[in-house]
Amino acid sequence: MEKLHKIIDTLEDVKVKDLAVYDFEKASPFYDYFIIATVNERQGNAAINYLKKALLADEIKHVEGKGGSWTLIDCHDVIVHLFREEDRKYYGFDQRLLGIKRIK
């Protein structure tokens, strides 16, 4: 939970929009939490850099799509998706996750 709170605090510091946190502890064997946020390019890059500073080196497994319209940050048990506004609407993760417990 400490890592989750560090990630949420970091994303809030970067002023992401529409931050959503879903609890997958009982729904997935691969990760415990799924975070979705809306960012512009500058916020997305800042979020990656700030997360690298906030977390231990081995807590970020992989970053994919940096600088694109959808960035995935794999923090092992926490998966972070940073979308540009139009792509967040297009992929509709929030609507697809309606049955999953939202904790923020």
Side-chain angles (χ1 to χ4, degrees), residues 22 24 34 36 70 83 87-101:
Y22 295 92
F24 272 83
F34 201 82
I36 303 171
W70 175 8
F83 286 101
D87 286 311
R88 184 169 181 173
K89 289 177 187 174
Y90 176 79
Y91 289 106
F93 277 25
D94 298 283
Q95 291 75 28
R96 294 177 189 193
L97 298 174
L98 288 177
I100 302 296
K101 180 181 174 185

Side-chain angles (χ1 to χ4, degrees), residues 1-16:
M1 277 300 256
E2 183 179 338
K3 183 192 333 181
L4 177 65
H5 290 293
K6 281 183 186 179
I7 293 169
I8 292 169
D9 291 344
T10 300
L11 294 174
E12 287 176 340
D13 287 347
V14 177
K15 308 280 191 249
V16 300

Side-chain angles (χ1 to χ4, degrees), residues 37-83:
T38 302
V39 296
N40 60 36
E41 184 176 353
R42 196 178 100 241
Q43 288 171 311
N45 289 331
I48 294 166
N49 291 330
Y50 280 87
L51 285 171
K52 285 180 178 178
K53 291 177 186 174
L55 301 174
L56 298 174
D58 64 342
E59 289 183 303
I60 296 178
K61 184 176 178 181
H62 185 68
V63 176
E64 188 163 326
K66 183 178 178 180
S69 61
W70 175 8
T71 302
L72 181 142
I73 305 168
D74 183 346
C75 300
H76 300 278
D77 56 340
V78 180
I79 304 297
V80 180
H81 295 275
L82 303 177
F83 286 101

